Amino acid sequence: MAGVGFSLKALRTDESYTGLIRLYGTAGIISSGPWLLSILTLLFIGLIGRELVTDPHDLSRFQVCVTWLFAASLLWTGPMQLMFTRFTADREFLGEYDETLPNLFGALCVLGAATFAISIPLVALFQNSTWTFKWILASAFVVLSQTWLVVIVLTGLRAHLAVFSCFALGYASTFVACLLLARFGQEGLLMGFVIGQATLLFSALCVLARKLPAKSAVAFRFLERRSFYLELGLVGLFYNLGVWSDKLIFGWGAGTGQRVLGPLRASEVYDLPIFLAYLTIVPGMAVFLVRVETDFAEAHREFYAAVRDGAPLLRLEALCGNMTDAARRAVVDIVKIQGITLIMCAALGPWLLSLAGISELHLPLFYIDAAGVALQVILLAVTSMFFYLDRRRAVSVLTGLLLLSNAGFTWLSMRLGPDLYGYGFAMAMAVTSLLGLVLLSRTFSTLVRDTFMRQPVVAS
């Protein structure tokens, strides 16, 4: 999302309440709109599809399959997403715009072949399922994995309206196709999902083909040794595995999870409250986008432009102070908006759970999960600022800590009993975000010195 804030600057000229609503509304659509479209589409499929399927259990099996497809594809492609994003950013910085599209096609070929290869032994685990279902499941894994890579490149080009439009088209196709094929059971529903994801994938590729020049059809420069950033690969793996580890542990827990289809499991006690809690991330993500990707990004650009232009020390220190202030305002504003959101959750919690058909016994779990989600927005802001400063090692340490702490605290909370369910996730986010803030503060305190000391020494 680096640089997205520059396209939001035009909306900041109007300081009225209407202008602020337009600014943060647009930021909310950019940051959370595609995700909300996917979630709401699957929810409506679950509600309407009950009247169309012959076996009601087909819907629950379909939803669990899609959840695991999302998790597995993010874990599988996380390292490649970040490394390829850095590759395309370097191409843009060097003005090699005609290298991005050919290398994207090359990356899709490599990723598609590798994903299909690992899909074969994975679908073999579904011993009691039909071969039709297995092939559709493998196809869904391949298409979804490729979709993540294409969408992240399109997002990097700041084509935010195009991203939202592609998601809208893709999930509208998913909705229609799933309902039309629902009478064929779980195979039909999953095939509808594949059709929708393929629509999203190819529509995004069409947008990229129109926007980007290409010097060749396919290229593989992204596989060169200098294009590999090990820390980014680790971050992509650690972060996604860290975010999903509590869900996986609850799903595989003997007393908290149950087998749904083949090796796939779900946790009725944990999955629904954490899902509702993640809906509260939208206000914080809007503020995150405006404050980090606009204010902080602008201060960052001014500081490093001054460094390249040889500005005097006092000027650099002043600009570094501006960047520090922007980072502080971003964190404070996120805390404020997520604090207000938590208060609203406390007031509306019983009504929300009733609307979702969840027992009020899950209220404590919903509250603590919402607190953990609020802390996760702070962690996202911190890691984004580290990425701006090219502190890849710091982010790899933070995401590694997130993985270990979320897995460890979640396991401990399960051992201590239902009253502490969800506290592992919240504690992990609290510890990781707090350490991130400490490291970020130290980084800013020595940034001017480190900017020059970290440069390579060139012999004359």
Side-chain angles (χ1 to χ4, degrees), residues 203-263:
S203 62
L205 282 173
C206 288
V207 174
L208 286 172
R210 291 196 303 267
K211 285 182 172 292
L212 292 174
K215 64 185 300 184
S216 61
V218 180
F220 297 93
R221 278 189 61 188
F222 68 96
L223 294 176
E224 294 175 357
R225 178 63 185 88
R226 59 183 177 180
S227 299
F228 274 85
Y229 291 87
L230 179 61
E231 296 98 335
L232 292 180
L234 292 176
V235 169
L237 177 63
F238 289 166
Y239 179 77
N240 286 296
L241 193 54
V243 168
W244 281 93
S245 58
D246 57 312
K247 294 82 175 170
L248 300 178
I249 290 173
F250 269 95
W252 284 95
T256 57
Q258 54 276 338
R259 186 182 298 274
V260 177
L261 179 66

Side-chain angles (χ1 to χ4, degrees), residues 4-51:
V4 62
F6 297 126
S7 60
L8 292 173
K9 286 182 65 178
L11 298 176
R12 303 201 67 170
T13 55
D14 186 359
E15 296 294 335
S16 66
Y17 287 114
T18 303
L20 290 176
I21 292 173
R22 189 187 309 116
L23 170 66
Y24 285 100
T26 302
I29 291 173
I30 292 173
S31 61
S32 304
W35 172 70
L36 287 176
L37 280 175
S38 62
I39 294 299
L40 293 176
T41 299
L42 295 174
L43 277 178
F44 282 123
I45 290 173
L47 291 174
I48 301 175
R50 295 173 184 173
E51 307 298 327

